[in-house]
Every structure is written in C-alpha cells, then in structure tokens.
Amino acid sequence: MLQAGTKAPGFILNDKEGNPVSLADFAGKKVVLYFYPRDNTPGCTRQACAFRDAWPEYEGRGVAVIGVSKDSERSHRNFAEKQGLPFLLLADPALEAIQAYDVWKEKKLYGKVSMGVARTTYVIDENGMIEKVFEKAKPDTNAADVLAWLDGEPHP
C-alpha cells in the first residue's frame, strides 16, 4: 500500500467513452482516487452511489472523484448510466494503475485464493502527493469518511 507523503504514481487510462485521462490533467486540484473490485456488484454499487449522492459536496469543495477498476470501458459506461454516476470511471484492464497503487492483492473467499483489487481510496493533493490513504474502505461509508477527513475530522 502506498503511504501518505509519497508522490502519487501517474497514469493514463481511458474513461467510459474511450477518452484518455491522466492524473496530470488534475494538477492544481485535489483528487479522490478510489479503487474498487468490479462494476455492478453489491458493495461496489453501494460505494459508487454513495459518491454519487455526495457529489455536490465534492464539487462544492473543488475535489475531483475518480473510480478505477479493471472493468472495460463498456462496463463502466453501462454502470455509470444505470446508476447515474456523475464522476469519472477509468478502465484499467491491464492493471497499470491498480498495480502502481499497490491495490492488486491476494484475496481469500470460502477458502479459495485469488488475486483482486483491494478496495482502497487515496486522497491526492494539488501537487500530486498522496495526503491520505483509506485502506479496506467500507462501501457504505467511504464517501462520507473522505468528506469528514477533508473537513478536518479525524479518521482512524
């Protein structure tokens, strides 16, 4: 897991429309970069909808929200349309950013071991430095936890 105080790795990934998006595009702006396992799954849908519902608060603070998973552009397009998501979803099927941000982890489910994305959220400052890491982010509270942290409230 990358730590606060380190430079956020750069990336160029496609959005749901196939347009390339770079972290460098957000220089001078605070970014909430959240990594999630998969579109249209219960936890990931709850997390995305929580960010959607909090979107006006993020926008009001001038903070960009970007979700990243290994799903395809088409999957992201369908997910965003179905859930009315106003923020960027980036496709990372080659695991470039997922591995650069050290969120590709071994997971165990019912005794079966596999590799997958560990639900993690990074807050990146205006200069491209990681300010805060939310490891094992909880789908239902992640958006509110990040907002509270942005407002100076302590977070475990």
Side-chain angles (χ1 to χ4, degrees), residues 69-80:
S69 78
K70 62 185 186 68
D71 294 299
S72 69
E73 296 161 18
R74 182 178 182 185
S75 175
H76 281 342
R77 192 167 46 253
N78 293 339
F79 185 47

Side-chain angles (χ1 to χ4, degrees), residues 36-47 71 79 83 119:
Y36 65 99
R38 193 155 181 208
D39 290 342
N40 292 304
T41 57
C44 297
T45 299
R46 289 195 316 272
Q47 183 180 23
D71 294 299
F79 185 47
Q83 302 302 332
R119 191 183 310 277

Side-chain angles (χ1 to χ4, degrees), residues 4-119:
T6 59
K7 182 83 174 148
F11 58 78
I12 298 174
L13 299 173
N14 287 346
D15 68 10
K16 62 186 172 61
E17 305 301 333
N19 302 310
V21 176
S22 169
L23 182 60
D25 297 342
F26 297 90
K29 190 169 189 167
K30 196 174 294 278
V31 174
V32 173
L33 182 65
Y34 83 94
F35 291 90
Y36 65 99
R38 193 155 181 208
D39 290 342
N40 292 304
T41 57
C44 297
T45 299
R46 289 195 316 272
Q47 183 180 23
C49 289
F51 275 111
R52 175 200 66 204
D53 295 346
W55 176 247
E57 295 181 61
Y58 281 98
E59 222 179 11
R61 288 168 176 79
V63 177
V65 174
I66 303 171
V68 178
S69 78
K70 62 185 186 68
D71 294 299
S72 69
E73 296 161 18
R74 182 178 182 185
S75 175
H76 281 342
R77 192 167 46 253
N78 293 339
F79 185 47
E81 287 171 7
K82 182 177 179 182
Q83 302 302 332
L85 305 179
F87 52 85
L88 281 172
L89 294 179
L90 301 181
D92 191 9
L95 309 178
E96 293 169 31
I98 289 168
Q99 289 180 333
Y101 281 82
D102 197 25
V103 297
W104 188 245
K105 301 288 186 185
E106 188 175 272
K107 294 179 159 190
K108 291 182 183 174
L109 183 64
Y110 306 118
K112 181 182 172 211
V113 177
S114 62
M115 295 299 287
V117 174
R119 191 183 310 277

